[in-house]
Amino acid sequence: MAHCTGAFILAEAGILDGRRATTHWAYARELQRRYPKTRVEEDRIFIEDRNVWTSAGMTAGIDLALALVEADLGAAIARSVARSLVVYHRRAGGQSQHSSLLELEPKSDRIQAVLTHAQRHLDTPLSVEQLAEVAHLSPRQFSRAFTAETGQSPAKAVENLRVEAARLAIEEGRHTIDEIARMTGFGDRERMRRAFLRTLGQPPQVLRRNARLANAVAAE
């Protein structure tokens, strides 16, 4: 097991030869350059390949540790440990290291509160009028302030948050595509498919197929 740049030590020892591995995104390309026999996946929280575990930086190590506990002792014990650590739940290994919320980087608490509200209520309409109410601004003032602070329109930011949440749910594989479309506020799979193509360049079905293939490879 290696956390963050500890993957370099495993790679130097030859342990990662022919294996899938990850590390902090800032060092992933360097890991791949130095150790070409390692199959580096730079946008993953953690990866398990034939009992060798690697993770991204800092908090990703907690996700990896909880996954180890779940693999050895079951989901109930892992949830209990997560509560003891004051962690809401572990992220799936396939989840991206990048976050739409972090990329938006709002400059004021007012806009941050709107983004937090949106993330927690993705299954609701989230119109400009509703979000402006959360910010205590008129719709026009809110749209102008939001775009100035984040570089995105409110509608585009909400779509990105929905795509991120839907992608995670698709990779976890616990719900159908139709259920995920409803849960994340797209309403139907066709609207979600169009949003995925705009944002990720791939439809949801391809991401699900890739996630299943990756899980099957990891289980071998």
Side-chain angles (χ1 to χ4, degrees):
M1 181 181 76
H3 172 48
C4 195
T5 53
F8 283 80
I9 297 173
L10 294 186
E12 181 66 26
I15 295 172
L16 297 182
D17 287 359
R19 282 186 164 92
R20 297 165 55 244
T22 193
T23 186
H24 190 286
W25 62 266
Y27 306 105
R29 294 187 181 179
E30 179 65 16
L31 180 66
Q32 186 67 83
R33 186 187 68 78
R34 288 195 198 179
Y35 307 101
K37 292 182 181 178
T38 301
R39 294 159 55 196
V40 179
E41 297 185 16
E42 64 181 81
D43 195 24
R44 290 293 177 263
I45 297 296
F46 64 84
I47 288 175
E48 186 269 330
D49 190 341
R50 288 170 284 167
N51 295 320
V52 175
W53 299 69
T54 52
S55 77
M58 300 300 288
T59 57
I62 297 175
D63 299 299
L64 183 150
L66 290 172
L68 283 168
V69 172
E70 183 172 326
D72 290 342
L73 302 173
I77 298 297
R79 284 194 295 270
S80 177
V81 173
R83 283 195 296 271
S84 297
L85 294 173
V86 199
V87 177
Y88 178 60
H89 62 80
R90 76 166 178 85
R91 294 170 291 179
Q95 187 173 351
S96 172
Q97 292 184 36
H98 300 280
S99 164
S100 293
L101 277 178
L102 290 177
E103 289 175 0
L104 288 167
E105 293 184 340
K107 298 176 178 61
S108 69
D109 290 344
R110 177 177 286 180
I111 300 302
Q112 179 61 65
V114 170
L115 288 169
T116 301
H117 173 87
Q119 190 183 42
R120 291 175 179 172
H121 299 85
L122 290 176
D123 59 335
T124 66
L126 295 176
S127 65
V128 169
E129 289 74 20
Q130 289 171 317
L131 296 177
E133 232 176 271
V134 175
H136 304 292
L137 294 169
S138 71
R140 185 175 179 180
Q141 288 174 317
F142 166 70
S143 293
R144 190 161 52 235
F146 188 96
T147 303
E149 289 195 28
T150 67
Q152 295 182 21
S153 69
K156 185 61 179 175
V158 167
E159 179 176 277
N160 286 340
L161 291 174
R162 284 182 166 140
V163 166
E164 183 174 75
R167 182 177 72 166
L168 175 57
I170 286 167
E171 290 176 345
E172 287 180 338
R174 297 177 184 174
H175 301 279
T176 68
I177 298 293
D178 288 321
E179 287 172 338
I180 292 169
R182 290 193 296 271
M183 289 163 44
T184 53
F186 286 110
D188 61 72
R189 62 191 299 154
E190 179 54 29
R191 285 182 61 194
M192 186 168 76
R193 187 188 72 83
R194 291 198 299 268
F196 267 58
L197 289 173
R198 280 193 298 270
T199 307
L200 304 176
Q202 292 181 318
Q205 291 82 353
V206 170
L207 294 179
R208 169 147 289 178
R209 186 166 61 247
N210 290 344
R212 285 174 176 167
L213 181 60
N215 289 335
V217 170
E220 291 178 355

